[in-house]
Amino acid sequence: MGLFSFLKKKNDGVAEAPATRLRAGEPSRLSTDAERERQRDIARATAAKIDAIELAMTTDLFDDLDAGWGSGHRPPAAAATPLATSADTELGPLAEQPDTAVTPANAPVVEESAILYANGQADLAEGMLRDCLGELGRTERLPWWMLFDLYQAQGREQDFDSIAIDYASHFETSPPAYTDRLPRAAPQPAFAGVAPALRLPAALDASLGAHLAALRKPAPPGTPVRLDFGAVRSANPEGCGALLASLQALRREERAVVLAGADALLAVLRPMLAIGERGSGEAPWLLLLELLQLLDREKDFEETAMDYCVTFEVSPPSFETPLLAPAGAASAAAANTAGLEAEQRFLLPPAVDGDIGALLAAIDAYAASDGDVSGATDGGVPVLATPVVLDCSRLARIGFTAAGALHVRLRSLAGAGHPVELRELNHMVAALLRLLNYGDCARLYAHRY
């Protein structure tokens, strides 16, 4: 609710509101399922009304700037994002990344609950966080966010929705949406060695089939493949169709796809698409949807699917969570594509605990693919290394001992001239890493609520 974010209720000169459980120092507990569901409906309806008002105001505000849209057609919602620069490839523009997470001052309950959770004592951590909502939770949002992440990591949607209602009421904001982040056992593909890698040409046209022939070679089930779109500058429907067929074939074979330079291809597809226009056919639309799915951008996928549905008057396709490459597959693929400039993230597994020697070795190999740049210069100008980016979007928990071992390894990488970033951290893990002083060697980015 961006346009209304500056509107806050003032307490000056206003009679004190009636006492409630939340005001008395404890979160509310709805007594019956029916009452809880009624409160959820009220909160969602209120948020929907405010969002609708904001949308109308925003539309009126910018209508005068849209004279170039005389045709009445517009690009699909998810395709209207500006092209990222080469430095932002795979991660999105830095301006769109979440701010570095901030911890409340002097809040030992945050640190203690983070340690308990890291040590596998989630129930105790939950109890501490819930007990502090009536005091620390009156002014700080972090304990709420930590609870949200704990419930999502455990697949507890009902508990999430229950405190989301209290959170929305207390901070006068929309309730956050539940996302199932429950770690699930992923198949361990029989893969060893260097993953196949392919760099696409500048033009995706009818000749693309020859470039994609390598993808049709037999491979063990689950073998990942790395595709680099950084050089793509143009495409036509025939080329889009050929690439779409190959990506769909890889999905049917349950092969994980590691993408590099995907934003370059997305930028080429955008001008080809307009809601209500079918001139380019379905292939570019379906290719865009396939890419968004592989990038795990579910929200963008759903918006584009609706635009596709309106344009071709068909049922929208449904989102499927992409098959993730096993830990280390990204670095193995990068090692086979030396000289490519596209940035590659290293995806951490859902749980990092116990003996993590193999994981640390894979991170070392991933970092080594960028070379040792300590002290390197180009004409007297220091050479900036590509960041060692650890994608924590699937990381639900990291054990205390494992976090210490990872910290030692990341400090070593940072000392060797490799900047380190941990992105999309959940707030339980982020609180632990801040406590362990990860900030001395890495930039931490927690996801937003």
Side-chain angles (χ1 to χ4, degrees), residues 141-160:
R141 302 193 184 202
L142 182 56
W144 298 84
W145 295 344
M146 293 171 72
L147 267 175
F148 290 150
D149 284 336
L150 186 151
Y151 289 146
Q152 289 179 122
Q154 295 181 338
R156 295 165 59 182
E157 183 174 3
Q158 185 174 356
D159 291 324
F160 179 99

Side-chain angles (χ1 to χ4, degrees), residues 345-360:
R345 289 184 288 184
F346 186 97
L347 182 69
L348 291 180
V352 176
D353 204 359
D355 182 3
I356 61 170
L359 177 63
L360 297 179

Side-chain angles (χ1 to χ4, degrees), residues 1 4 41-57 174:
M1 295 185 292
F4 291 104
D41 291 341
I42 292 172
R44 290 167 181 161
T46 301
K49 289 179 181 178
I50 295 175
D51 289 342
I53 294 171
E54 285 189 346
L55 178 59
M57 292 179 65
S174 298

Side-chain angles (χ1 to χ4, degrees), residues 22-393:
L22 189 59
R23 290 175 59 85
E26 57 180 308
S28 65
R29 301 289 190 272
L30 301 178
S31 57
T32 66
D33 289 342
E35 179 64 14
R36 183 183 295 111
E37 187 61 32
R38 188 181 73 84
Q39 293 290 345
R40 285 198 200 102
D41 291 341
I42 292 172
R44 290 167 181 161
T46 301
K49 289 179 181 178
I50 295 175
D51 289 342
I53 294 171
E54 285 189 346
L55 178 59
M57 292 179 65
T58 305
T59 301
D60 292 340
L61 182 62
F62 291 103
D63 271 349
D64 292 338
L65 302 179
D66 294 334
W69 287 18
S71 64
H73 297 294
R74 61 181 177 84
T81 305
L83 173 63
T85 63
S86 59
D88 300 330
T89 304
E90 292 293 300
L91 291 172
L94 287 178
E96 296 179 3
Q97 294 301 323
D99 297 330
T100 303
V102 178
T103 183
N106 303 320
V109 65
V110 168
E111 297 176 350
E112 292 173 14
S113 59
I115 293 173
L116 288 170
Y117 182 73
N119 288 330
Q121 297 174 292
D123 290 344
L124 292 177
E126 176 191 358
M128 291 188 67
L129 290 171
R130 292 199 71 114
D131 289 343
C132 83
L133 293 186
E135 296 180 5
L136 181 62
R138 290 178 178 178
T139 56
E140 300 290 350
R141 302 193 184 202
L142 182 56
W144 298 84
W145 295 344
M146 293 171 72
L147 267 175
F148 290 150
D149 284 336
L150 186 151
Y151 289 146
Q152 289 179 122
Q154 295 181 338
R156 295 165 59 182
E157 183 174 3
Q158 185 174 356
D159 291 324
F160 179 99
D161 287 343
S162 180
I163 69 164
I165 294 171
D166 291 343
Y167 176 82
S169 174
H170 182 65
F171 291 105
E172 300 175 356
T173 185
S174 298
Y178 175 84
T179 300
D180 188 354
R181 302 181 188 275
L182 178 65
R184 291 175 174 82
Q188 298 297 324
F191 170 75
V194 178
L198 177 65
R199 187 171 194 178
L200 278 293
L204 304 186
D205 51 28
S207 65
L208 186 62
H211 295 275
L212 299 174
L215 300 180
R216 294 193 291 270
K217 294 181 179 180
T223 301
V225 60
R226 183 178 190 270
L227 300 178
D228 180 7
F229 302 112
V232 175
R233 295 295 178 266
S234 65
N236 62 22
E238 291 76 15
C240 290
L243 179 57
L244 173 65
S246 294
L247 293 177
Q248 291 175 335
L250 291 172
R251 182 147 50 90
R252 288 194 298 271
E253 295 170 7
E254 297 186 350
R255 295 178 65 181
V257 178
V258 179
L259 299 183
D263 282 333
L265 179 53
L266 294 178
V268 169
L269 293 176
R270 289 169 193 142
M272 302 175 64
L273 307 179
I275 298 175
E277 291 186 358
R278 306 183 183 183
S280 60
E282 295 188 47
W285 284 89
L286 294 175
L287 178 58
L288 174 60
L289 289 169
E290 190 75 20
L291 290 173
L292 293 175
Q293 183 163 271
L294 288 171
L295 293 169
D296 203 14
R297 300 180 185 175
E298 185 172 2
K299 181 179 179 181
D300 290 343
F301 179 95
E302 298 294 348
E303 292 175 352
T304 304
M306 292 306 300
D307 294 338
Y308 166 77
C309 169
V310 170
T311 299
F312 293 96
E313 300 178 358
V314 296
S315 299
S318 57
F319 181 83
E320 297 179 11
T321 301
L323 181 66
L324 302 176
S331 58
N336 193 37
T337 52
L340 296 181
E341 297 179 356
E343 189 175 52
Q344 178 62 60
R345 289 184 288 184
F346 186 97
L347 182 69
L348 291 180
V352 176
D353 204 359
D355 182 3
I356 61 170
L359 177 63
L360 297 179
I363 293 175
D364 282 344
Y366 161 62
S369 66
D370 293 324
D372 188 351
V373 297
S374 56
T377 61
D378 182 5
V381 179
V383 176
L384 298 179
T386 300
V388 174
V389 182
L390 304 185
D391 185 339
C392 306
S393 58

